[in-house]
Amino acid sequence: METQQSKAMDDSETEQEGLAETIMARRFYPSVLGSEAWEGYTFSDLEIRIKESTDLYGAVLWPSAMVLCHFLETNRDEYNLTDKNVIELGAGTGLVTIVSSLLGAKVTSTDLPDVLGNLRYNVMRNTKNRCKYIPLVTELFWGPEAEQRFPRATHCFDYILAADVVYAHPYLEELMDTFDHLCQANTQILWAMRFRLDPENSFVERFRQRFHLEELYDLPSLRIKLYRAWTKAEGTKGRGEAAA
Ligand SMILES: C[S@@+](CC[C@H](N)C(=O)[O-])C[C@H]1O[C@@H](n2cnc3c(N)ncnc32)[C@H](O)[C@@H]1O
């Protein structure tokens, strides 16, 4: 006989699968291809067109970005981005930057120099005349550069957004230091994480030693989790409450 506990687990798995399907259904493809290839997404009741290329990690849109955008759009009362200072790390093709800008945030969108051209193009194409604040697209190589480009005395972010920035690359420590540097007393990190190999798991464990970590979504079919995190530094409010 089915126990109450196994029924609850089945219900939650079905719910998660439904959520994963809903999120992935936000992507559509143009029925008629013109001279330029793009993929379409719908967020904030608007069509967003993203141009990808296949030669770089950051030139492709990864499912984690869609998960984070879905969360931001469907939780906009609790995580109200209007007029908030937001920085995105590893913005890639720019969907998260675009959706947060459409939701009213002042966004600084960062990535490596090689992907900035395409990122800037997508961001401008999808935010022009649609957003309260024009997003700033700028270079950031994780590590010491974060301190030089965004000194804590003059740059205070309400949110740090990141989608699929942890994988088998050689800059995981620099990424951790960048989160650490940018995350101040009232900053919240919203981070969508795709699990592939061991480096991802050990990064989460090391991250948990430095930050408070809360799991917001667990989507096994996509192997993605969405986390909220905030600093453990002494003298802070402790729970990184959503900025008012
Ligand atoms: C897997 S892609 C994810 C892109 C985008 N966030 C998404 O979900 O579609 C990882 C991103 O991290 C960026 N990245 C990788 N190493 C980096 C580093 N050392 N400093 C800054 N960005 C880096 C890549 O250029 C790329 O845009």
Side-chain angles (χ1 to χ4, degrees), residues 28-81:
F28 67 92
Y29 298 92
S31 52
V32 181
L33 278 175
S35 55
E36 189 193 77
W38 52 269
E39 285 184 9
Y41 300 83
T42 44
F43 284 98
S44 285
D45 296 327
L46 290 169
E47 182 185 296
I48 296 170
R49 293 183 180 191
I50 296 287
K51 189 172 123 197
E52 296 185 326
S53 65
T54 47
D55 50 347
L56 294 162
Y57 279 133
V60 175
L61 197 142
W62 298 83
S64 302
M66 293 173 69
V67 170
L68 179 49
C69 289
H70 178 85
F71 179 84
L72 292 173
E73 193 198 42
T74 52
N75 290 276
R76 58 176 103 175
D77 290 340
E78 195 177 344
Y79 295 84
N80 183 352
L81 295 189

Side-chain angles (χ1 to χ4, degrees), residues 7-46:
K7 163 110 181 45
M9 272 177 70
D10 286 351
D11 286 352
S12 133
E13 275 166 25
T14 314
E15 222 170 81
Q16 285 160 359
E17 285 318 302
L19 180 57
E21 270 174 35
T22 307
I23 293 170
M24 297 318 286
R26 286 170 169 272
R27 185 196 302 240
F28 67 92
Y29 298 92
S31 52
V32 181
L33 278 175
S35 55
E36 189 193 77
W38 52 269
E39 285 184 9
Y41 300 83
T42 44
F43 284 98
S44 285
D45 296 327
L46 290 169

Side-chain angles (χ1 to χ4, degrees), residues 113-130:
D114 283 358
V115 300
L116 284 195
N118 191 53
L119 172 62
R120 199 167 275 130
Y121 173 80
N122 282 328
V123 168
M124 289 312 147
R125 170 193 213 178
N126 289 287
T127 58
K128 201 172 171 201
N129 301 327
R130 284 172 151 185

Side-chain angles (χ1 to χ4, degrees), residues 57-66 88-94 96 110-112 115 140-142 162-167 169 171 174 196:
Y57 279 133
V60 175
L61 197 142
W62 298 83
S64 302
M66 293 173 69
E88 184 183 4
L89 302 181
T93 51
V96 173
T110 69
D111 209 309
L112 295 174
V115 300
L140 175 65
F141 201 109
W142 302 325
D164 208 353
V165 288
V166 178
Y167 49 96
H169 61 65
Y171 300 104
E174 286 80 358
R196 299 180 179 93

